[in-house]
Amino acid sequence: ASSAIGASNVSITAAQLAQQPNWIVVDNHVLDIAKFASIHPGGAHVFANFRAGANDATAAFFALHTTDVLRKYIPRLRVGVLEGAQANDAPSSRDFVNPVGLAPSERPGYATSPYYNASHAAFRKVVRKFTQTEIRDEALANDVTGKAPSSEMFEKLGAHGYLALRLGPSPVLAAVYPGPLPGGIKASEYDYFHELIVAEELATLGTPGYADGIGGGLSIGLPPVAMFGTDALRRKVLPEVLSGKKKICLAISEAGAGSDVANIGCKAELSEDGRHFVVTGAKKWITNGMFADYFTTAVRTSGPGMGGITLLLIERSEGVSTRLIKSMYSSSAGTAYVLFDHVRVPVENVLGKVGQGFKCIMFNFNHERWVMCATIVAYSRVLLDEAMRWAFVRKVFGKALIEQPVIREKLANMTSRIEAAHAWVESVTFQMCQDSKAKHLAGQIALLKAHCSEVMWKCVDDAQQVLGGRGITQSGMGAKVERIAAYAKLGAILGGSEEILRDLGVREMAKETSAVNANNRVLARM
């Protein structure tokens, strides 16, 4: 095990340690920290508690560093292994199995969930490995710097089928992506539980901005093309986007129209020859807009209200410009202000029918909001995982945090909220697998999304209280918590604010109740 992680396997005795003031022992690795101390962000004084010689510095080291730090620097720092011991490749102070940090379907000793089958379990393993080995490094780097995902990353995701996964289960998926999906899944077998797994695994990185950057726009901008575009448009656009060669986003929101979609003002007028729509207007807060090649755009083609809205696919061309909008979370998401200045769009790029764009948008909202629910609950679980891990590592007043009743109460509240929300997500996911177009799902998903965003907001508060100063610091052991905290409020607004969605949910419930009781004479008198 020791040879896999470090450079030197020389056996170091206690006497040798005593003669070297810059040598410490961490999980039986003997490290020379002379150079490490000089470049440490916290300064050399951080190592004051790391006693050299025979004293083990494992606890002191992991009170300030994650396992990733140890793994990164061991090849450079290790001078040997403590005599009579075996160096630990997986430092126990961080790499322990935290059951509540796993989805219920994965937990040791838990009965197999009826929602999942063997393909889901195999699929999760493949997606997890790819996420951790192929996406993780760029995600962590770019989420901090705000740099957009690389073109190489998009093409890698496309080549391995991961962009196709973000499209979601679709009758056209098999036609445009004939090859097997990750894990050997056929497009015809890919269901919403597979897509739920994708959202959960991507969330474990704790990089919300970057995660949105590598498919947020696709997951909401491409389905309308797949469902409502002409055959010619689908044949052109879907392969380009699913291969990663081109990128797409959804452009609905405006400065004067957010949740009230029917109030959009971006205009599209038919040209004199009847062959183009000329689009003039602006869109705001558009995820992936900065680097998108295609914009699935809601425009006004006639009078006021929902009946005057048409959905157009606009290609980046003359008259299209974008400007970065810096929001609370990472600019890796490419959130943009999009300006259309007399952009000519072929009439063949209408998605659905002219004047029926509102229906297409509403159809798309179910999937969009469901993806957000899955993602938000997954991020909430990451918060719980980080808080629980820290509670075992951190000692205050002579005790580990996990031994403090007030901390256990916070962890209990987080767990209760997350498990309830996750169960609801799975219930709705099952309904979507039966009929994703079912009318009753709109209200359920609206209420679920409002509930999930509230859960995450409360979990952010509890997690940051448990981690203290680290929970509000952009680097170090609380970095994941800080990044998710920056995203939390976006989750309460994007896809429809909590207030609007709760109202929508109850109105849909009222419609359902009225329909079921249409012949009830008592209700008829009310």
Side-chain angles (χ1 to χ4, degrees):
S2 58
S3 62
I5 194 169
S8 176
N9 295 316
V10 175
S11 180
I12 305 295
T13 66
Q16 289 175 304
L17 280 172
Q19 297 173 4
Q20 300 291 336
N22 292 320
W23 286 10
I24 63 170
V25 179
V26 178
D27 269 342
N28 297 327
H29 301 283
V30 180
L31 310 178
D32 184 347
I33 61 170
K35 293 183 179 180
F36 185 55
S38 65
I39 64 172
H40 194 280
H45 74 278
V46 169
F47 296 88
N49 293 329
F50 294 4
R51 296 196 175 189
N55 294 304
D56 194 328
T58 300
F61 185 92
F62 286 112
L64 297 172
H65 306 90
T66 65
T67 299
D68 290 337
V69 173
L70 183 62
R71 286 179 173 150
K72 178 179 179 180
Y73 286 99
I74 274 182
R76 307 184 211 175
L77 305 181
R78 193 167 87 162
V79 294
V81 180
L82 191 63
E83 184 181 39
Q86 184 177 22
N88 187 2
D89 253 354
S92 57
S93 57
R94 286 292 290 176
D95 285 357
F96 65 97
V97 176
N98 179 14
V100 296
L102 301 171
S105 61
E106 281 196 285
R107 294 180 192 168
Y110 277 57
T112 302
S113 169
Y115 291 135
Y116 301 90
N117 56 38
S119 78
H120 295 112
F123 179 76
R124 187 185 290 276
K125 290 181 180 178
V126 172
V127 173
R128 176 171 296 169
K129 182 179 180 180
F130 187 89
T131 301
Q132 296 299 324
T133 60
E134 302 295 333
I135 302 177
R136 184 175 182 273
D137 289 347
E138 182 174 300
L140 293 176
N142 288 25
D143 204 83
V144 172
T145 63
K147 186 178 179 181
S150 66
S151 296
E152 292 77 12
M153 176 60 72
F154 270 103
E155 293 193 17
K156 181 195 298 185
L157 293 170
H160 289 83
Y162 283 84
L163 293 179
L165 298 179
R166 302 300 293 271
L167 178 61
S170 168
V172 301
L173 182 58
V176 298
Y177 195 85
L181 294 168
I185 303 296
K186 296 179 181 178
S188 59
E189 298 170 343
Y190 184 58
D191 64 22
Y192 289 104
F193 281 103
H194 289 109
E195 190 179 5
L196 174 60
I197 290 170
V198 175
E200 291 175 343
E201 292 303 319
L202 197 54
T204 62
L205 299 176
T207 55
Y210 183 88
D212 280 357
I214 59 171
L218 186 156
S219 68
I220 57 179
L222 194 58
V225 180
M227 296 304 298
F228 305 112
T230 64
D231 289 341
L233 201 61
R234 287 201 298 262
R235 285 195 299 269
K236 177 182 184 294
V237 175
L238 269 68
E240 289 179 333
V241 174
L242 295 181
S243 68
K245 297 185 184 303
K246 290 199 173 181
K247 307 167 190 70
I248 193 169
C249 67
L250 181 69
I252 303 294
S253 296
E254 300 177 6
S259 296
D260 54 339
V261 177
N263 196 42
I264 65 167
C266 185
K267 293 182 179 180
E269 298 178 338
L270 197 61
S271 63
E272 291 184 3
D273 60 9
R275 297 173 58 188
H276 295 84
F277 280 103
V278 180
V279 180
T280 303
K283 298 292 179 178
K284 198 170 185 179
W285 305 292
I286 306 305
T287 304
N288 295 183
M290 278 303 297
F291 44 78
D293 300 290
Y294 293 108
F295 302 80
T296 300
T297 310
V299 297
R300 185 161 300 284
T301 50
S302 58
M306 63 183 68
I309 296 175
T310 298
L311 204 58
L312 280 180
L313 182 68
I314 302 177
E315 189 166 3
R316 188 182 284 268
S317 57
E318 184 179 356
V320 178
S321 61
T322 53
R323 186 169 71 242
L324 180 68
I325 294 178
K326 291 187 176 182
S327 63
M328 294 176 68
Y329 79 151
S330 175
S331 293
S332 288
T335 307
Y337 179 82
V338 183
L339 182 64
F340 300 113
D341 185 7
H342 296 87
V343 180
R344 296 176 67 84
V345 183
V347 293
E348 292 81 6
N349 284 27
V350 170
L351 303 178
K353 296 181 179 180
V354 174
Q356 295 189 14
F358 190 82
K359 292 181 180 179
C360 299
I361 295 168
M362 292 300 106
F363 174 88
N364 196 49
F365 266 146
N366 271 4
H367 181 256
E368 175 185 353
R369 289 166 178 163
W370 172 82
V371 169
M372 294 188 71
C373 292
T375 301
I376 287 169
V377 174
Y379 281 137
S380 299
R381 195 175 292 282
V382 172
L383 292 170
L384 174 59
D385 187 38
E386 292 297 298
M388 182 72 81
R389 289 172 184 271
W390 182 245
F392 274 91
V393 172
R394 174 67 166 164
K395 289 185 178 181
V396 292
F397 305 114
K399 293 182 178 181
L401 283 179
I402 195 66
E403 298 179 55
Q404 305 288 353
V406 67
I407 298 299
R408 292 199 297 269
E409 180 185 17
K410 291 185 181 300
L411 296 172
N413 289 336
M414 292 175 72
T415 303
S416 299
R417 297 184 190 111
I418 292 166
E419 297 301 351
H422 190 270
W424 194 359
V425 167
E426 288 188 325
S427 174
V428 168
T429 303
F430 177 76
Q431 294 299 321
M432 290 181 67
C433 287
Q434 311 314 306
D435 183 6
S436 63
K437 300 177 184 178
K439 291 182 179 180
H440 69 272
L441 282 176
Q444 278 290 300
I445 293 175
L447 291 172
L448 174 59
K449 197 264 181 180
H451 176 71
C452 290
S453 60
E454 183 178 43
V455 165
M456 180 166 65
W457 188 250
K458 291 179 178 178
C459 285
V460 162
D461 186 54
D462 283 335
Q464 288 185 316
Q465 288 300 115
V466 172
L467 272 82
R470 287 174 174 82
I472 57 173
T473 303
Q474 293 182 356
S475 60
M477 303 186 79
K480 279 188 180 181
V481 173
E482 191 278 335
R483 289 194 295 264
I484 295 172
Y487 170 79
K489 200 60 185 175
L490 278 75
I493 296 171
L494 303 182
S497 69
E498 290 180 353
E499 296 80 5
I500 295 293
L501 293 184
R502 288 194 180 98
D503 181 66
L504 170 62
V506 174
R507 284 190 286 111
E508 290 297 312
M509 287 167 52
K511 289 179 183 178
E512 189 176 347
T513 301
S514 297
V516 171
N517 294 280
N519 297 321
N520 187 309
R521 295 180 179 179
V522 174
L523 288 181
R525 298 193 191 101
M526 295 176 65

